[in-house]
Amino acid sequence: MARAEGNTAVRFALDRRFDALAAPFLTAQDKGYFGAEGLDVVIEPGNGARAMLQRLASGTQDAGFGDINALIRFRDENPSSDLTAVMIVHDRPGYALIGRKSRGITTAPTSLEGRKLGTASIDASFAQWPLFKSLNKIDDSKIRIETIGVPVREPMLASGEIDALFAFGSSTAVSLRARGVPGDDIVLMEMAEHGLLLYGSAVIVSGKLIASKPDAVRGLVRAVMRGIRDAAVNPGAGAQLVLRRNESAQLEVERDKLAAVIERNVLTPYVRAHGLGGIDSERWGQALGQLASAGAFRDKVRAGDAFTDAYLPPASERMF
């Protein structure tokens, strides 16, 4: 892509491959929303939140999209890190276990006991397992957890080799139906429905970008919001952009995944009432308390400074 003269170059890292969750960013790129803000944004796929954060911390990338709770931990473990979230995208996190009724899984978390669960080592949902099992009094000594690769998680659940898996709930349920698993056999156990108050994924930027180009950060946020609006109105168009970058993707599946994520994780009742991108300070404090209960912070104040609303547009411009 030719760089527009005078535009600010921004290297944007995802924490995953190109799929439905990336569609709002691809939309902002394809429709010129980044360019309209004076930005030349290059979007690159990734392989997990930690790897994405390390790319930002090393200066390889300037901004990215990933799990805010991984960022909170990263800041606490790396006192010199200046990475900051500037926009919440998933007000409701996608952390979930997805199981099958035919394998004995119900909506009760204790139904996981005596079962075989699959997870990828980089999965953000599995990272919250210590908190989830504590909140729901699950005896994990009765559970077998097998680490498996991302590409084989869904096929293994579809074939019955595992009873449930850790994954991004709303989109994975769509994928399983596309693989032939009957919808009435799929159990979506969302952690947000079982005590977790955490936020999900966010736009994260480097301290260098904030310090040197604060207006670029504001423009980045505005462009992403435009991309989300378009993806909400026309998920099929967003899915088409995914297909251009991921030859293994299927149009109908990515379209339905995008629609599910927008409805379930992005445009929550709180967002519709208060606008996209921000946080509720009381919930944020409670979420930090939950994270601390699962593993003490070295510096809770510093960890809690992982988000700022300083680069968001006024609330009136963030309403859907």
Side-chain angles (χ1 to χ4, degrees):
M1 180 186 301
R3 179 171 298 165
E5 186 175 355
N7 276 6
T8 298
V10 177
R11 298 159 298 178
F12 194 93
L14 301 174
D15 66 349
R16 58 197 302 117
R17 63 178 184 168
F18 289 120
D19 68 357
L21 276 69
F25 307 100
L26 302 179
T27 300
Q29 183 184 56
D30 187 73
K31 290 199 169 183
Y33 298 157
F34 290 130
E37 297 288 349
L39 306 176
D40 177 19
V41 178
V42 176
I43 303 173
E44 297 183 10
N47 187 35
R50 295 286 298 190
M52 183 276 290
L53 294 171
Q54 289 165 355
R55 288 157 69 185
L56 265 63
S58 69
T60 305
Q61 262 82 30
D62 308 294
F65 173 64
D67 181 44
I68 196 167
N69 300 297
L71 171 64
I72 291 169
R73 289 293 183 192
F74 188 85
R75 284 173 57 94
D76 191 53
E77 296 164 4
N78 299 273
S80 63
S81 173
D82 55 6
L83 306 182
T84 305
V86 294
M87 174 188 176
I88 300 293
V89 177
H90 295 154
D91 179 68
R92 180 187 178 94
Y95 313 136
L97 286 120
I98 302 94
R100 299 183 62 175
K101 291 181 183 177
S102 59
R103 306 292 298 181
I105 304 297
T106 72
T107 55
T110 51
S111 70
L112 298 169
E113 295 176 2
R115 309 300 172 190
K116 181 179 178 181
L117 314 182
T119 182
S121 60
I122 62 172
D123 190 84
S125 296
F126 182 62
Q128 306 311 328
W129 173 242
L131 175 57
F132 181 72
K133 69 182 181 183
S134 175
L135 288 171
N136 293 281
K137 298 178 172 55
I138 299 169
D139 184 355
D140 63 350
S141 68
K142 300 177 180 178
I143 297 173
R144 178 182 172 188
I145 298 179
E146 183 174 336
T147 301
I148 54 182
V150 171
V152 300
R153 286 184 305 178
E154 293 168 14
M156 288 181 69
L157 183 59
S159 67
E161 295 174 75
I162 55 177
D163 304 310
L165 57 84
F166 292 86
F168 194 103
S170 51
S171 63
T172 301
V174 172
S175 296
L176 287 170
R177 288 193 293 270
R179 289 184 177 276
V181 180
D184 59 4
D185 193 35
I186 297 172
V187 178
L188 177 56
M189 191 184 298
E190 294 179 296
M191 295 185 182
E193 291 189 344
H194 295 280
L196 259 76
L197 298 172
L198 312 184
Y199 285 90
S201 293
V203 175
I204 300 168
V205 299
S206 69
K208 180 179 179 181
L209 185 63
I210 287 177
S212 63
K213 303 280 187 179
D215 286 341
V217 177
R218 294 184 181 93
L220 180 72
V221 169
R222 285 193 296 266
V224 170
M225 287 193 175
R226 292 182 71 183
I228 292 173
R229 289 182 187 278
D230 284 8
V233 171
N234 190 350
Q240 287 281 7
L241 298 178
V242 173
L243 264 62
R244 293 182 193 174
R245 298 162 175 85
N246 182 350
E247 61 182 17
S248 66
Q250 297 176 286
L251 179 60
E252 295 80 5
V253 175
E254 298 303 320
R255 178 199 64 207
D256 292 350
K257 285 166 60 177
L258 177 56
V261 170
I262 292 288
E263 178 184 359
R264 194 76 177 165
N265 305 102
V266 180
L267 300 185
T268 63
Y270 178 86
V271 168
R272 292 188 182 278
H274 299 279
L276 179 66
I279 61 171
D280 174 79
S281 58
E282 182 178 357
R283 176 185 167 190
W284 180 259
Q286 292 173 330
L288 287 173
Q290 287 192 337
L291 289 173
S293 72
F297 291 116
R298 300 174 185 177
D299 185 341
K300 187 176 180 180
V301 173
R302 173 175 167 73
D305 287 339
F307 174 83
T308 177
D309 62 4
Y311 302 93
L312 291 173
S316 60
E317 298 177 20
R318 297 186 279 116
M319 303 303 291
F320 276 72

